[in-house]
Amino acid sequence: MKRKTYLIEVLTPLHVGAGQGLSHVDLPIMREVHTGFPFVPGSAIKGSAREYALREVWKRHLANSGVKLSDLDEEVSKGKKLKEDEAEKIKDDLEYLRSVFGTAGELEEGSAGKVSFGDASILLFPVRSLSHIFLLVTCPYVISRFARTVGMDIPPQKVGDTEALCYSMEIAIDKQVVLEEFVFKAKEAGEDFKKFVDLLGIGYKHRVVCVSDTVFSELVQNYTEVQTHVRIDPDKGTVASGALWTSEYLPAESVLFVNLFLDEDIEYSLPGEMWLGGDMTTGKGRVKLREVKT
Amino acid sequence: MKSRLNSFSELPAGFKRQLSELLSKAKSPHIGLVFYKVLVSKFTEDELENGLKAERFARELDATLKELTDYRVNIPKLPCKKSFELKTAYRLAIGMGYPSLLENGFLFHHTYGIPYIPGETLKGLARHVLLLSIYEEIKEKLASTQEPLNYLDKYLSSTEEEFSKNSLTETLDRTEISIILSDYKIREPHRVFRRIFGTQEKRGEVIFLDAFPKKFNPQDLELDIMNPHYAGYYTEKGKNPPGDWENPVPIKFLTLKKGTTFVFCLDYEPLGEEEPELLEHAYNLLRIGLENLGVGGKKAKGYGWFEAV
């Protein structure tokens, strides 16, 4: 087994929904049961990555021959959909897609994929601030979870509930950091923390702060993006009755990390950019994917 | 929102003073955070308890925005297949429905704190333009229908089965229609509609991304005023006549200034067939909508309209 770790940088708000909710939001995002942190299940990532890979093959070989993308989808998972000469032409691609993503049981010698997709966990969460517009927040628990999965040695960060460890003190105003309506004492972070941030290779590293686990938990649970949606009645020009609802998003600039585990004999990389989650046609869920070398 | 503001005014006075001091030293604050939360720290307990006058809030907001002369923001640029620019032909008032101490709200981006136009507003607008255009073409056929536009809307987004059974499909097949308020034409508009905007069974093939201003300074936000003279007449319909003995009630609201250039982006949905004609139709529908119908609040007064840069 080989491991590949990717960062998922959220470019536009991301809604990986948990269905209907009982809370103040009508359509909440998925959260881990034990921490309440937002996450993206591996199945959602695999689904989008598979769609992307199928499309690449379809565009290269089949788009002009009248074969639909859904036909290729069926051919990969169940076989017997394409004409024999068409299937023969893209034999290598079919074999590759099947070995990466697996097939349905109907196919002879059906198999599971050789790449297993883990769940993506939150690493940096953007919070509105009085300096630099927004800051990227993390916490000791999240860092140690990341360190453990990538096999790095980062000593546990010590931070009190009223403190914020800063990668760069330039984000502090009067030695204080403001996150939403809360004020924290700014402290310069140690070298271990800076090394961890450098490793991520993100553009906004001066924005990264580390708060306590309790504060982080409070922020990711209560300060996600909630958008109000309406449907306008075309005859009346006003909001259609009953057509007002709210849905929750992981805000733009959030960063998650995900581990892929590959069989030794397979090569696979996630695409550099793709769409994840819901509301895609109104621009939601555009993400950037980048492998981190650890 | 209200409960949060209340709990905010209940915070220890020292804490509020500290926040207000930090706000006056802040160079690049999140403007949405200032507008909806932190600016409250500028007011005393008394003012907040006795009902803060929107007038007083507006003055403080204006002063705060004017001081942010060294404001830095990176406006996100997303790669997309089709982008174009238009500028606001008059002021833009968007998100007025959100509750705020100014009485009317304003829409700021959750992360970037700048004004923007959500993709869903743009998709809705383009969809509305095509819906009205199809309606103009076949309105005689719909004359006996109760809510003709709702009926047409339902028909256009119905399942493939219902769509092919409806007699409107045959009427519109091989027909070319003119798009309202323009000389742009679309052939088989009902099929184009279903492909761009999606149906109950299939998602649309075009993505409408959020539109951001090309440049933004806090001074681009301007306070505006509406001044209803007959408050009694408007609040209790029909009970009171619009009498000259009533006093005008000035209500302030926040707007984005005229002449702000926005960048609009359209892209293909990743499973679609990437047909350039489809993107071209979506672009024209959106542009016609922005130039003639507008977005946001007070459109009938000319707010939210766009023109060529």
Side-chain angles (χ1 to χ4, degrees):
Chain A
M1 279 282 199
K2 299 178 279 193
R3 175 184 49 80
K4 276 188 168 189
T5 302
Y6 282 86
L7 290 190
I8 303 181
E9 296 178 47
V10 177
L11 301 179
T12 65
L14 174 62
H15 178 83
V16 177
Q20 297 238 322
L22 294 171
S23 63
H24 63 292
V25 187
D26 297 318
L27 300 170
I29 53 172
M30 289 193 81
R31 291 174 179 279
E32 294 169 355
V33 174
H34 58 309
T35 58
F37 294 178
F39 83 112
V40 178
S43 57
I45 297 164
K46 181 173 177 181
S48 285
R50 183 175 178 279
E51 213 168 60
Y52 188 92
L54 283 177
R55 193 188 161 77
E56 289 292 292
V57 171
W58 178 77
K59 245 162 92 178
R60 239 185 358 252
H61 302 293
L62 301 170
N64 300 322
S65 58
V67 177
K68 281 200 239 143
L69 188 52
S70 53
D71 296 337
L72 175 63
D73 181 3
E74 209 176 317
E75 175 71 29
V76 169
S77 57
K78 296 178 188 160
K80 300 192 189 105
K81 181 72 192 179
L82 299 185
K83 289 195 208 96
E84 251 172 55
D85 56 323
E86 275 163 349
E88 182 62 30
K89 210 171 66 186
I90 55 165
K91 205 177 89 199
D92 293 349
D93 287 313
L94 282 177
E95 200 180 307
Y96 176 72
L97 289 173
R98 284 178 185 144
S99 66
V100 171
F101 298 106
T103 59
E106 285 91 353
L107 194 72
E108 280 171 62
E109 300 158 37
S111 66
K114 288 183 171 180
V115 179
S116 93
F117 293 76
D119 292 344
S121 333
I122 188 85
L123 189 60
L124 302 171
F125 182 74
V127 180
R128 309 191 287 181
S129 173
L130 285 188
S131 77
H132 291 68
I133 301 172
F134 66 94
L135 300 178
L136 295 168
V137 179
T138 187
C139 75
Y141 169 67
V142 163
I143 297 170
S144 71
R145 188 149 88 163
F146 176 79
R148 204 166 50 207
T149 61
V150 302
M152 252 173 87
D153 190 26
I154 309 172
Q157 304 296 310
K158 285 203 184 73
V159 53
D161 280 346
T162 57
E163 296 170 341
L165 302 179
C166 308
Y167 179 88
S168 157
M169 288 302 274
E170 68 176 276
I171 58 160
I173 311 172
D174 275 357
K175 294 193 177 148
Q176 321 212 46
V177 171
V178 182
L179 296 168
E180 290 283 338
E181 64 267 45
F182 307 110
V183 183
F184 301 86
K185 282 197 249 5
K187 279 172 83 177
E188 178 140 21
E191 285 311 308
D192 298 319
F193 181 75
K194 290 189 180 175
K195 244 173 37 204
F196 154 74
V197 177
D198 287 339
L199 172 86
L200 302 179
I202 51 164
Y204 293 142
K205 53 187 180 183
H206 60 281
R207 280 197 165 103
V208 180
V209 294
C210 178
V211 294
S212 76
D213 295 348
T214 323
V215 172
F216 183 79
S217 169
E218 168 84 6
L219 290 171
V220 296
Q221 300 205 46
N222 300 316
Y223 295 88
T224 46
E225 179 167 2
V226 176
Q227 290 190 6
T228 309
H229 303 279
V230 293
R231 192 181 78 81
I232 306 289
D233 183 319
D235 284 300
K236 301 196 183 87
T238 52
V239 176
S241 68
L244 182 137
W245 71 100
T246 52
S247 55
E248 187 183 24
Y249 296 88
L250 199 55
E253 302 292 347
S254 299
V255 179
L256 303 114
F257 72 96
V258 61
N259 285 316
L260 263 52
F261 294 96
L262 293 81
D263 279 5
E264 289 300 338
D265 61 342
I266 193 118
E267 286 299 322
Y268 174 74
S269 298
L270 284 170
E273 271 191 30
M274 62 181 193
W275 296 91
L276 261 183
D279 302 340
M280 175 201 293
T281 62
T282 53
K284 306 298 193 305
R286 184 101 169 144
V287 299
K288 211 163 116 185
L289 303 143
R290 190 162 44 79
E291 194 181 349
V292 259
K293 298 279 181 204
T294 49
Chain B
M1 194 66 201
K2 194 147 193 245
S3 66
R4 191 161 269 174
L5 285 176
N6 282 347
S7 68
F8 199 78
S9 65
E10 282 158 19
L11 288 171
F15 185 83
K16 251 173 59 191
R17 199 164 49 243
Q18 185 187 22
L19 208 51
S20 140
E21 256 171 54
L22 290 171
L23 174 59
S24 38
K25 288 179 187 165
K27 285 202 177 81
S28 294
H30 187 292
I31 301 196
L33 179 66
V34 173
F35 182 74
Y36 286 107
K37 278 187 185 167
V38 179
L39 203 60
V40 182
S41 67
K42 292 268 182 195
F43 307 104
T44 62
E45 296 305 304
D46 278 0
E47 279 177 306
L48 291 172
E49 254 161 49
N50 301 328
L52 182 68
K53 288 269 187 331
E55 170 66 28
R56 170 94 176 79
F57 184 83
R59 239 182 310 152
E60 200 63 57
L61 176 68
D62 203 38
T64 307
L65 292 176
K66 286 219 167 79
E67 269 168 39
L68 299 174
T69 49
D70 200 14
Y71 188 79
R72 294 226 177 103
V73 58
N74 285 320
I75 294 170
K77 280 197 189 69
L78 288 173
C80 66
K81 289 277 155 44
K82 170 98 193 165
S83 76
F84 62 100
E85 293 176 5
L86 289 175
K87 67 174 193 234
T88 47
Y90 190 56
R91 290 173 164 172
L92 172 72
I94 194 162
M96 284 176 78
Y98 292 102
S100 87
L101 282 174
L102 196 63
E103 290 181 36
N104 289 289
F106 191 85
L107 181 66
F108 293 101
H109 191 276
H110 179 90
T111 306
Y112 306 113
I114 56 176
Y116 77 110
I117 307 167
E120 82 180 345
T121 302
L122 300 172
K123 183 173 176 179
L125 178 62
R127 193 175 182 279
H128 194 60
V129 170
L130 187 51
L131 183 74
L132 289 179
S133 305
I134 297 177
Y135 173 71
E136 283 299 318
E137 183 71 22
I138 55 164
K139 62 182 167 197
E140 284 82 29
K141 288 205 167 249
L142 294 169
S144 59
T145 321
Q146 271 265 308
E147 288 186 322
L149 285 167
N150 268 312
Y151 175 80
L152 187 60
D153 190 336
K154 278 213 187 78
Y155 152 70
L156 287 168
S157 42
S158 61
T159 58
E160 208 52 54
E161 199 192 333
E162 285 169 44
F163 178 76
S164 56
K165 268 198 297 205
N166 198 311
S167 66
L168 289 177
T169 304
E170 220 188 306
T171 314
L172 288 164
D173 270 343
R174 287 175 296 282
T175 311
E176 187 177 66
I177 66 156
S178 299
I179 301 305
I180 48 160
L181 306 160
S182 73
D183 46 19
Y184 193 71
K185 293 198 164 42
I186 292 183
R187 213 179 124 74
E188 304 209 316
H190 54 325
R191 296 189 188 276
V192 169
F193 187 100
R194 290 167 72 81
R195 287 190 63 189
I196 295 180
F197 304 110
T199 67
Q200 285 175 18
E201 293 167 322
K202 196 173 171 297
R203 73 177 167 217
E205 290 180 43
V206 174
I207 294 176
F208 293 79
L209 287 133
D210 295 344
F212 290 99
K214 206 174 174 187
K215 283 201 302 255
F216 173 73
N217 280 309
Q219 292 80 38
D220 298 345
L221 293 168
E222 296 173 338
L223 279 164
D224 204 332
I225 186 171
M226 54 182 133
N227 211 1
H229 278 52
Y230 310 116
Y233 171 67
Y234 288 122
T235 46
E236 282 183 79
K237 257 188 196 148
K239 272 211 167 162
N240 304 305
D244 280 341
W245 54 86
E246 285 196 64
N247 288 321
V249 190
I251 298 172
K252 298 242 177 176
F253 61 100
L254 202 58
T255 64
L256 183 65
K257 75 169 189 191
K258 175 185 169 176
T260 306
T261 302
F262 273 82
V263 184
F264 300 88
C265 296
L266 300 172
D267 212 335
Y268 297 110
E269 177 265 348
L271 295 181
E273 278 160 36
E274 303 206 354
E275 206 174 282
E277 199 192 27
L278 218 51
L279 215 52
E280 190 62 22
H281 286 332
Y283 152 69
N284 278 290
L285 291 168
L286 178 56
R287 188 181 48 77
I288 291 163
L290 288 166
E291 287 176 353
N292 297 288
L293 303 176
V295 292
K298 299 179 82 65
K299 291 192 278 279
K301 310 280 190 302
Y303 288 74
W305 290 37
F306 285 79
E307 62 186 10
V309 176

